[in-house]
Amino acid sequence: EQLRDNELITDVRGMGLLYAVEFGSEMSAAVVTACNETGVLLNPVKPNAVRLMPPLTVNEAEIDQAIERLDAGLTKAAQANS
């Protein structure tokens, strides 16, 4: 649910721990680069979508930390694309 609060994200879909996050523009490459710098590994599946694949052993605190880092990466990627 926290992912849906970001204005750059247009859709979040998935099952279990495997999620796709879609953006309103083709910014996946910039998001992956920025998120790698924050410590979050993503898989670009489309020019406007990335896949989240946390380990099965992830806990709630680690998910919260990953969301914060993803938000920071999205902000950085949006600034680079503008």
Side-chain angles (χ1 to χ4, degrees), residues 9-38:
I9 297 173
T10 58
D11 190 25
V12 178
R13 57 189 177 277
M15 183 180 288
L17 290 176
L18 187 63
Y19 276 86
V21 178
E22 191 171 309
F23 311 111
S25 64
E26 294 185 354
M27 60 186 292
S28 291
V31 170
V32 168
T33 300
C35 285
N36 283 346
E37 293 172 4
T38 68

Side-chain angles (χ1 to χ4, degrees), residues 15-76:
M15 183 180 288
L17 290 176
L18 187 63
Y19 276 86
V21 178
E22 191 171 309
F23 311 111
S25 64
E26 294 185 354
M27 60 186 292
S28 291
V31 170
V32 168
T33 300
C35 285
N36 283 346
E37 293 172 4
T38 68
V40 177
L41 299 178
L42 303 173
N43 179 14
V45 292
K46 291 183 177 180
N48 68 331
V50 296
R51 181 179 297 135
L52 304 173
M53 300 178 299
L56 295 175
T57 58
V58 70
N59 63 44
E60 192 171 332
E62 292 168 328
I63 290 173
D64 289 340
Q65 184 180 45
I67 297 296
E68 288 176 15
R69 292 179 179 188
L70 177 62
D71 280 337
L74 285 171
T75 300
K76 186 174 182 178

